[in-house]
Amino acid sequence: MFSTSRQLRQLQTRLARGFSSTGPAHSHIGLAPIRYTKEVKIEHLPEAYSKTDSRFFDKTTLRVTGPMGERTMAIEPFVTLDFVEPKDKSLAEAEYQVSVSIADSNQKKQRQMWGTTRALINNCVVGVTEGFSATLRFVGVGYRAGLEGGKLVLRLGYSDPVVMDIPEGLAVTVPIPTRVLIKGIDLQQVKLFAAKIREWKKPEPYNQKGIFINNETIRKKDGKKK
C-alpha cells in the first residue's frame, strides 16, 4: 500500500519510462559526412591498429595523409566507413566524402562512439591540411619564455627557470618573450602540451596573473577586506 497518491504517481511514471516505445536517438554529429579535397588521402586498412597492445587487436587502422603530414587512428569493429568520390576527379575543387555508420544504434557504446569517431576523423583531416595551434600569454612581472638549445625555458619567478622538452611533432616558437605559439597536426597533443605549460603558473583571480591559453579569461576577485 502506498501512503500517498504522490508515491503512486511516481511509480507509474517510472514504469511508463521503462516501457517507452521511442526509438534510439541518432547522433547528429555522426550522421554528418566529412568532406575533403584530393590533397587529402584517407585509407581504411584492415590491419590491426597495434600488434603489441591487446586493446587494439580487434580495431582496424585509418590513415589520413595530407600536405602537413600523416595521422593514424583506431577504428572500432562495429564502425563502417563509406567513401564517396566525385564524378569528375580532374576538377581542382572536386569534393570527396566519407560517412560514418555503426552496426547497432540500440547499443549505448556504439552510439557514443559514433559521433566521437566522426569528430576524430575530421580532426585528422583538419590536422593534415590546416594544422592546429595554441597561443599562451604570460601575464605577470618578469614572466617570460624563450627557446634555448631546442628546449622551452620558462621564467616564472621561481629560483630556477623551468626547462621543458618539446614533444616530437610539435613546432614551438616564441615571437615575443610573453607569447608562446604551439603548432601541430594532432589537436590532442597541442592541447596537452599547452596545458602542461599552463600548470606551472595557473591564472589566479586576485591579481589576474599567470599563463593564459588563447582567449582565456578569469573573473577578478576582490581580496579580503580587513
Side-chain angles (χ1 to χ4, degrees):
M1 293 294 294
F2 292 90
S3 58
T4 65
S5 59
R6 180 181 178 184
Q7 290 176 315
L8 179 59
R9 287 197 302 271
Q10 289 176 345
L11 177 60
Q12 290 173 338
T13 301
R14 287 196 294 267
L15 291 174
R17 289 175 179 171
F19 292 101
S20 173
S21 59
T22 305
H26 293 286
S27 170
H28 295 294
I29 297 176
L31 286 171
I34 300 167
R35 295 177 172 84
Y36 57 98
T37 60
K38 61 183 180 181
E39 65 179 355
V40 177
K41 183 179 180 181
I42 301 179
E43 300 173 279
H44 189 192
L45 308 175
E47 61 191 43
Y49 183 70
S50 175
K51 296 181 180 179
T52 57
D53 192 335
S54 60
R55 296 175 299 169
F56 300 103
F57 286 172
D58 64 338
K59 296 177 176 60
T60 52
T61 303
L62 186 75
R63 182 164 60 201
V64 183
T65 309
M68 298 190 67
E70 178 181 297
R71 290 287 316 280
T72 59
M73 62 171 284
I75 299 295
E76 296 284 353
F78 51 77
V79 170
T80 300
L81 302 180
D82 298 311
F83 294 87
V84 178
E85 296 186 347
K87 294 181 179 179
D88 189 353
K89 299 181 182 179
S90 63
L91 297 176
E93 65 275 10
E95 185 179 82
Y96 294 74
Q97 291 186 11
V98 57
S99 298
V100 181
S101 60
I102 54 176
D104 187 357
S105 60
N106 290 305
Q107 296 292 325
K108 182 177 180 181
K109 179 182 177 182
Q110 295 192 26
R111 291 198 308 270
Q112 291 173 336
M113 290 303 300
W114 192 358
T116 299
T117 301
R118 192 266 178 201
L120 291 174
I121 295 175
N122 187 66
N123 284 345
C124 289
V125 173
V126 175
V128 300
T129 52
E130 303 173 15
F132 298 99
S133 65
T135 302
L136 294 99
R137 297 176 287 116
F138 289 65
V139 180
V141 178
Y143 294 179
R144 62 189 189 277
L147 293 172
E148 299 178 10
K151 298 179 183 293
L152 180 64
V153 180
L154 312 177
R155 290 177 171 83
L156 303 169
Y158 301 126
S159 58
D160 296 310
V162 177
V163 181
M164 302 184 68
D165 293 324
I166 299 174
E168 185 178 356
L170 293 182
V172 177
T173 57
V174 183
I176 58 176
T178 57
R179 294 288 188 277
V180 173
L181 179 61
I182 306 171
K183 291 184 178 181
I185 64 174
D186 188 335
L187 177 60
Q188 183 178 1
Q189 189 182 30
V190 170
K191 285 185 173 182
L192 180 60
F193 190 54
K196 286 183 177 179
I197 296 173
R198 181 182 182 273
E199 281 291 320
W200 284 103
K201 190 66 73 171
K202 293 181 180 179
E204 51 90 12
Y206 296 102
N207 296 312
Q208 293 189 312
K209 296 180 180 180
I211 301 175
F212 296 78
I213 299 177
N214 295 329
N215 296 321
E216 178 185 10
T217 59
I218 57 172
R219 180 177 296 179
K220 184 177 178 59
K221 289 184 179 181
D222 295 327
K224 293 182 179 180
K225 297 180 180 180
K226 296 182 179 180

